[in-house]
Amino acid sequence: MENTTDIEKLAIDTVRILSADAVQKANSGHPGTAMALAPMGHVLWSKALNYNPKNPDWANRDRFILSCGHACMLQYSFLYLTGYDLSLDDIKQFRQLNSKTAGHPEYGLAPGIDVTTGPLGQGFANGVGFAIAQKHLAARYNKPGFDLFNYHVYAIVSDGDMMEGVTSEAASLAGHLELGNIIYLYDDNHISIEGATDITFNEDVSARFRSYGWHVQDLPDVNDIHALELALVNAKAEAQKPSLIRVRSLIAYGSPNKSGTAGSHGAPLGADEIKLVKEFFGFDPDKSFNVPDEVLEYYHSKGARGAASEEKWNKLFADYKVQFPELAAEYEAAFKGELPEGWKANLPVFKASDPKVATRVASGKTLNAVAASLPNLIGGAADLSPSTETNLKGFDSFTSENRGGRNFHFGIREHAMGSALNGMALTKGVLPFGATFLMFSEYMRPPIRLAAIMKISPIFVYTHDSIGLGEDGTTHQPVEQLASLRSIPNVTIIRPADANESVHAWRVAIEKKGGPTVLVFTRQGLPILDQDKYGKAENLEKGAYILSEASKNPDLLLIATGSEVALIMEAQAKLEAEGISTRVVSMPSWELFEKQDAAYKETVFPKAYRKRLAVEMASPMGWHKYTTDEGDMLGMTTFGESAPAEDLYKHFGFTVDNVVARAKALL
């Protein structure tokens, strides 16, 4: 250890041993990286980071992301030592049921965890979203003499993060946007689970990041804490370029037999080796979870400084409220997740006499109708805003020159877009959305799933939702995507039937808390259902509702989502003309319907009426729950074809005559 005082050396070594002990007790985990990076963590939590352990949600705190989440004992150790609401007993319960100290950092579980990480690369890309949100908040709310939002986004990233494709997408975007508030420390330890990284990975990472437009520093030894501190100072001074500090480390530093080996990466060191580690650092080999009083006092004093920083900021904000009361009130409401009064008054209403309109177009009209009254609603597309109708007209683009812009150009980087949206959604005061085609939700599964786990509420907008998009063919026509997305817990999928349902889909998504919303829209035009004659579109919030009632007790229930609702409405007319009493149910969201009480569900799908036909141009998986054993489902059991939409409807049986025939077969 170079340039280190006695208390600093003792403190750093305490973290190394505490991390190793916790993994050993759990008999599961990754001790080596936490041991190696204790000096890095020390410099961050004792010198660089601006935080207040007594208020982990302080708005102007620096954000910290452990992108290599497997090394979470490093983060848990410093959270405990600096005074967060995390105890030594919590450390001892590492990786146990109902513990705050899960096997990877989880947002909302332990205080001080800013984002759930685990899948490598996600934390790296989340940080880009955090950085975007900070720049946007600063542009909207900062005023001369009132630098309210000037925090930085710090992360520790690993060789594994650097190998993942999402990292390249996110790094490219960050460099292009000149996000100088990003400071990432790259643990270059040359080890992964299979062994030395050179079996797969020997590129010049520093050169790669310089080519992205990053400010890069290379440090030869993580144990030189003075060099680390200086590098962080340099990075903070670089206001234009995002910073990467590449730091060489020796995994499991202090372990006589396992340092520098893959054996210390993903498994406990073993009881005998732990004793040797403790002897190496001058600790009692027979004591576990040994935290010297002077170390706890030392780190507590470092954490306690944050209270004064927050108090100073609170005073600044109090003065700001006097000079800028409207902006202050706007931010305070947004921070609490409150929506402006009267925002729903701007929701458009479409008339049945209007021409056909694609739900993607109705979505765009809705977005633009409410944008002015929802200043924290920001977002964009993966190079597809003209196709997804997600451009906010009358508002600027977010660029390196204009941080106040509300339109985001993520480029053809769907994976990074999803991860960045999560970082934005984790920033209180921001309501983000991002758009692409439904087919390309495949690139976004990790961030959608993580948003669901974190119970945060980004809005994922997907258009071109079926074979109805036509000539682009099998590669662009989604088939299995709706079933796949519905299988993810805590995600709300909404596929509206017409323009007015699209309006209320946005209303529900904007009001939604506790999980992400997926909005699914058509490319093709759809008729607008007559709300004076049929069920009201506002019933979309219930997930399923009776759109058109049968002439008498129903012989049959027709159920559909999205564009197929218009199809079953035509089929109902034909069936009723033939004396078959038919109810039509619009079912835009399974998830919203499942939240309704049993009484409401019975009114829509009475148990006595089991002759039911569901129609959806997608995989039939999951529909049996609603169609019953006496029902049927007209869906897609193959991929699509390249042809005009009308030809595809006929080829795959999505015609009035075929729906009528399938319905009659049930009777």
Side-chain angles (χ1 to χ4, degrees), residues 551-577:
S551 55
K552 59 182 189 306
N553 287 341
D555 299 315
L556 177 75
L557 271 59
L558 293 179
I559 315 161
T561 76
S563 54
E564 293 81 275
V565 171
L567 175 61
I568 65 171
M569 287 289 282
E570 291 186 56
Q572 181 200 35
K574 194 166 185 177
L575 288 163
E576 287 278 355

Short mmCIF file of all heavy atoms in Angstrom, two decimals, residues 551-577:
data_model
loop_
_atom_site.label_atom_id
_atom_site.label_comp_id
_atom_site.label_asym_id
_atom_site.label_seq_id
_atom_site.Cartn_x
_atom_site.Cartn_y
_atom_site.Cartn_z
N SER A 551 -77.33 -9.27 -27.91
CA SER A 551 -78.73 -8.87 -27.99
C SER A 551 -79.57 -9.51 -26.89
O SER A 551 -80.61 -8.99 -26.51
CB SER A 551 -79.30 -9.25 -29.36
OG SER A 551 -79.09 -10.64 -29.61
N LYS A 552 -79.11 -10.66 -26.40
CA LYS A 552 -79.75 -11.33 -25.26
C LYS A 552 -78.66 -12.09 -24.54
O LYS A 552 -77.48 -11.84 -24.78
CB LYS A 552 -80.88 -12.24 -25.74
CG LYS A 552 -80.47 -13.33 -26.71
CD LYS A 552 -81.69 -14.13 -27.15
CE LYS A 552 -81.33 -15.37 -27.97
NZ LYS A 552 -80.50 -15.13 -29.13
N ASN A 553 -79.00 -13.01 -23.62
CA ASN A 553 -77.95 -13.76 -22.94
C ASN A 553 -77.00 -14.35 -23.98
O ASN A 553 -77.45 -15.04 -24.92
CB ASN A 553 -78.56 -14.88 -22.10
CG ASN A 553 -79.23 -14.34 -20.85
OD1 ASN A 553 -78.96 -13.21 -20.43
ND2 ASN A 553 -80.11 -15.13 -20.26
N PRO A 554 -75.72 -14.12 -23.83
CA PRO A 554 -74.79 -14.48 -24.91
C PRO A 554 -74.70 -15.99 -25.15
O PRO A 554 -74.64 -16.79 -24.21
CB PRO A 554 -73.45 -13.94 -24.41
CG PRO A 554 -73.78 -12.94 -23.35
CD PRO A 554 -75.05 -13.42 -22.73
N ASP A 555 -74.72 -16.34 -26.43
CA ASP A 555 -74.35 -17.70 -26.82
C ASP A 555 -72.83 -17.82 -26.91
O ASP A 555 -72.28 -18.91 -26.82
CB ASP A 555 -74.94 -18.02 -28.20
CG ASP A 555 -76.45 -17.95 -28.22
OD1 ASP A 555 -77.08 -18.48 -27.28
OD2 ASP A 555 -77.00 -17.33 -29.16
N LEU A 556 -72.20 -16.67 -27.09
CA LEU A 556 -70.79 -16.67 -27.43
C LEU A 556 -70.13 -15.38 -26.96
O LEU A 556 -70.75 -14.32 -27.00
CB LEU A 556 -70.65 -16.79 -28.96
CG LEU A 556 -69.25 -16.75 -29.56
CD1 LEU A 556 -68.54 -18.06 -29.33
CD2 LEU A 556 -69.36 -16.47 -31.06
N LEU A 557 -68.86 -15.48 -26.52
CA LEU A 557 -68.06 -14.30 -26.21
C LEU A 557 -66.91 -14.21 -27.21
O LEU A 557 -66.18 -15.20 -27.40
CB LEU A 557 -67.48 -14.39 -24.80
CG LEU A 557 -68.31 -13.84 -23.62
CD1 LEU A 557 -69.65 -14.55 -23.52
CD2 LEU A 557 -67.53 -13.97 -22.32
N LEU A 558 -66.77 -13.06 -27.85
CA LEU A 558 -65.62 -12.78 -28.70
C LEU A 558 -64.70 -11.82 -27.94
O LEU A 558 -65.15 -10.80 -27.43
CB LEU A 558 -66.05 -12.14 -30.02
CG LEU A 558 -66.85 -13.01 -30.99
CD1 LEU A 558 -67.20 -12.20 -32.24
CD2 LEU A 558 -66.08 -14.26 -31.38
N ILE A 559 -63.41 -12.16 -27.89
CA ILE A 559 -62.44 -11.40 -27.13
C ILE A 559 -61.27 -11.05 -28.05
O ILE A 559 -60.81 -11.90 -28.81
CB ILE A 559 -61.89 -12.21 -25.93
CG1 ILE A 559 -63.02 -12.93 -25.18
CG2 ILE A 559 -61.09 -11.33 -24.99
CD1 ILE A 559 -62.53 -14.07 -24.31
N ALA A 560 -60.77 -9.83 -27.95
CA ALA A 560 -59.61 -9.46 -28.77
C ALA A 560 -58.87 -8.31 -28.13
O ALA A 560 -59.37 -7.63 -27.23
CB ALA A 560 -60.03 -9.11 -30.19
N THR A 561 -57.66 -8.08 -28.63
CA THR A 561 -56.86 -6.92 -28.26
C THR A 561 -56.50 -6.17 -29.52
O THR A 561 -56.53 -6.71 -30.63
CB THR A 561 -55.55 -7.32 -27.54
OG1 THR A 561 -54.62 -7.82 -28.52
CG2 THR A 561 -55.79 -8.40 -26.50
N GLY A 562 -56.17 -4.91 -29.38
CA GLY A 562 -55.62 -4.14 -30.48
C GLY A 562 -56.46 -4.12 -31.73
O GLY A 562 -57.70 -4.03 -31.69
N SER A 563 -55.78 -4.24 -32.88
CA SER A 563 -56.45 -4.12 -34.17
C SER A 563 -57.50 -5.19 -34.39
O SER A 563 -58.44 -5.00 -35.18
CB SER A 563 -55.41 -4.18 -35.30
OG SER A 563 -54.61 -5.33 -35.19
N GLU A 564 -57.41 -6.30 -33.71
CA GLU A 564 -58.34 -7.40 -33.92
C GLU A 564 -59.72 -7.13 -33.31
O GLU A 564 -60.68 -7.85 -33.59
CB GLU A 564 -57.77 -8.71 -33.36
CG GLU A 564 -56.55 -9.21 -34.11
CD GLU A 564 -55.26 -8.53 -33.71
OE1 GLU A 564 -54.96 -7.44 -34.26
OE2 GLU A 564 -54.56 -9.05 -32.83
N VAL A 565 -59.83 -6.11 -32.47
CA VAL A 565 -61.13 -5.76 -31.91
C VAL A 565 -62.09 -5.32 -33.02
O VAL A 565 -63.26 -5.70 -33.04
CB VAL A 565 -60.99 -4.67 -30.82
CG1 VAL A 565 -62.36 -4.15 -30.39
CG2 VAL A 565 -60.23 -5.22 -29.62
N ALA A 566 -61.61 -4.52 -33.95
CA ALA A 566 -62.46 -4.10 -35.07
C ALA A 566 -62.93 -5.32 -35.87
O ALA A 566 -64.08 -5.35 -36.35
CB ALA A 566 -61.69 -3.14 -35.96
N LEU A 567 -62.07 -6.30 -36.00
CA LEU A 567 -62.42 -7.53 -36.72
C LEU A 567 -63.55 -8.28 -36.03
O LEU A 567 -64.53 -8.69 -36.66
CB LEU A 567 -61.17 -8.42 -36.84
CG LEU A 567 -61.36 -9.81 -37.45
CD1 LEU A 567 -61.87 -9.72 -38.88
CD2 LEU A 567 -60.04 -10.58 -37.40
N ILE A 568 -63.46 -8.43 -34.71
CA ILE A 568 -64.52 -9.19 -34.02
C ILE A 568 -65.81 -8.37 -33.91
O ILE A 568 -66.89 -8.95 -33.76
CB ILE A 568 -64.06 -9.72 -32.65
CG1 ILE A 568 -63.76 -8.59 -31.65
CG2 ILE A 568 -62.86 -10.65 -32.80
CD1 ILE A 568 -63.51 -9.08 -30.22
N MET A 569 -65.70 -7.07 -33.98
CA MET A 569 -66.92 -6.26 -34.03
C MET A 569 -67.69 -6.55 -35.32
O MET A 569 -68.94 -6.69 -35.31
CB MET A 569 -66.57 -4.78 -33.95
CG MET A 569 -66.13 -4.31 -32.57
SD MET A 569 -67.46 -4.27 -31.36
CE MET A 569 -68.29 -2.76 -31.85
N GLU A 570 -67.00 -6.67 -36.44
CA GLU A 570 -67.66 -7.03 -37.69
C GLU A 570 -68.23 -8.45 -37.62
O GLU A 570 -69.33 -8.72 -38.12
CB GLU A 570 -66.68 -6.92 -38.85
CG GLU A 570 -66.26 -5.50 -39.21
CD GLU A 570 -65.41 -5.47 -40.46
OE1 GLU A 570 -65.89 -5.96 -41.51
OE2 GLU A 570 -64.28 -4.95 -40.40
N ALA A 571 -67.47 -9.34 -36.99
CA ALA A 571 -67.95 -10.72 -36.86
C ALA A 571 -69.19 -10.78 -35.98
O ALA A 571 -70.13 -11.55 -36.24
CB ALA A 571 -66.84 -11.59 -36.28
N GLN A 572 -69.23 -9.97 -34.93
CA GLN A 572 -70.42 -9.93 -34.07
C GLN A 572 -71.66 -9.55 -34.87
O GLN A 572 -72.73 -10.16 -34.73
CB GLN A 572 -70.22 -8.94 -32.93
CG GLN A 572 -71.41 -8.87 -31.98
CD GLN A 572 -71.45 -7.59 -31.16
OE1 GLN A 572 -71.07 -6.52 -31.64
NE2 GLN A 572 -71.91 -7.69 -29.92
N ALA A 573 -71.52 -8.54 -35.71
CA ALA A 573 -72.67 -8.10 -36.50
C ALA A 573 -73.19 -9.23 -37.38
O ALA A 573 -74.42 -9.43 -37.50
CB ALA A 573 -72.28 -6.90 -37.35
N LYS A 574 -72.30 -9.99 -37.97
CA LYS A 574 -72.71 -11.09 -38.84
C LYS A 574 -73.33 -12.22 -38.03
O LYS A 574 -74.35 -12.81 -38.44
CB LYS A 574 -71.49 -11.59 -39.62
CG LYS A 574 -71.85 -12.49 -40.79
CD LYS A 574 -70.66 -12.67 -41.73
CE LYS A 574 -71.07 -13.48 -42.94
NZ LYS A 574 -69.96 -13.63 -43.92
N LEU A 575 -72.75 -12.52 -36.88
CA LEU A 575 -73.30 -13.59 -36.03
C LEU A 575 -74.68 -13.22 -35.50
O LEU A 575 -75.61 -14.05 -35.48
CB LEU A 575 -72.33 -13.88 -34.88
CG LEU A 575 -71.03 -14.60 -35.27
CD1 LEU A 575 -70.00 -14.45 -34.15
CD2 LEU A 575 -71.29 -16.07 -35.56
N GLU A 576 -74.81 -11.99 -35.04
CA GLU A 576 -76.11 -11.54 -34.54
C GLU A 576 -77.17 -11.59 -35.64
O GLU A 576 -78.32 -11.93 -35.39
CB GLU A 576 -75.99 -10.12 -33.97
CG GLU A 576 -75.26 -10.02 -32.64
CD GLU A 576 -76.15 -10.36 -31.44
OE1 GLU A 576 -77.37 -10.58 -31.63
OE2 GLU A 576 -75.62 -10.40 -30.31
N ALA A 577 -76.76 -11.26 -36.85
CA ALA A 577 -77.70 -11.31 -37.98
C ALA A 577 -78.18 -12.73 -38.24
O ALA A 577 -79.27 -12.94 -38.79
CB ALA A 577 -77.03 -10.72 -39.22
#
